[in-house]
Structure formats: C-alpha cells, structure tokens
Amino acid sequence: MRAGLASSEVSLLVADDDGEIVGFTSCGISRDSDAGPELGEVWSFFVAAGRWRGGVGRALMAAALEDLRLRGYAHATVWSFDANERANAFYEAQGFARDGATRTEAVWAHLLEVRYRRALA
C-alpha cells in the first residue's frame, strides 16, 4: 500500500485524540478492473477497538466520502470480508449495499470478500 499512498490519487486520513492515532482510512481511485472514472474506493478503514461506537468511524467515513466526492467521483466502493458482520453492519449503516462482486486473494488466505457500493450525491 505504500506505493499507492505516494500517489496524488489517494488520500490518507487519520483520526487522533491528543496525538494518539485512534483510526485511519485511505481512499481514492478505484483499483477494480471493472471500475469506470465515476467510481472511487475506500481502500482501507480501521478504528481502534477501544474507540468503536464512539463516532470515530462515522467521522472517518464521512471524511473519506467527502474526499471522494470532491475528487469528482459519483460512487464509492469498499471491500469487506463476507464473514465480518461488525464491519458489514457499519458499512450498511453508512449507506453502502453489496453490489454482487466478490473475490478471494491469497494474501487474505482466500477468505471471501464482498464489495459494497454507494452513491456520493
């Protein structure tokens, strides 16, 4: 991911509390082969477990979606593990819905990933 973050097509957004990093997200150009120019992607999303349900995730996602909107994207996607019920419920609460795309990757032990999508209007 380091090379991607060096690109002007990707943003890294960090949430901190008095200098302590409590979450981060990266977003930008979609890496999917079926993506058109209207599609941006939330590349990564993390909130420290001790900060769950405290607004950090909502604030980070709102910032990421605004960043993508300002870049001119009309839609955003995010990939999640199919079995990650907590993350999937969060994405759905943020207006994302599964779009039917799935994948597996060796780096993630071939666990099933599902793609979520939402409009940025």
Side-chain angles (χ1 to χ4, degrees), residues 10 13 27 29 33-34 38 44 58-59 63 70-71 79-82 93 100-101 105-106 109 112 116 121:
V10 180
L13 308 171
C27 60
I29 189 169
S33 62
D34 65 345
E38 77 290 346
S44 63
R58 286 187 304 276
L70 290 173
R71 290 173 178 270
W79 285 93
S80 183
F81 293 114
D82 183 53
E105 296 177 289
L112 181 63
Y116 283 84

Side-chain angles (χ1 to χ4, degrees), residues 29-40 73-75 115 117:
I29 189 169
S30 176
R31 298 168 290 175
D32 295 333
S33 62
D34 65 345
E38 77 290 346
L39 189 63
Y73 296 112
H75 294 90
R115 187 171 64 190
R117 178 186 300 249

Side-chain angles (χ1 to χ4, degrees), residues 23-102:
F24 67 86
T25 186
S26 59
C27 60
I29 189 169
S30 176
R31 298 168 290 175
D32 295 333
S33 62
D34 65 345
E38 77 290 346
L39 189 63
E41 179 182 353
V42 177
W43 285 29
S44 63
F45 195 85
F46 172 81
V47 174
R51 298 305 181 108
W52 291 350
R53 305 197 60 79
V56 173
R58 286 187 304 276
L60 275 173
M61 184 59 76
L65 297 176
E66 179 66 4
D67 182 272
L68 292 171
R69 189 187 67 74
L70 290 173
R71 290 173 178 270
Y73 296 112
H75 294 90
T77 60
V78 63
W79 285 93
S80 183
F81 293 114
D82 183 53
N84 191 340
E85 294 177 8
R86 179 185 298 272
N88 296 339
F90 172 79
Y91 296 136
E92 291 168 7
Q94 302 306 304
F96 286 89
R98 292 184 185 203
D99 72 1
T102 62

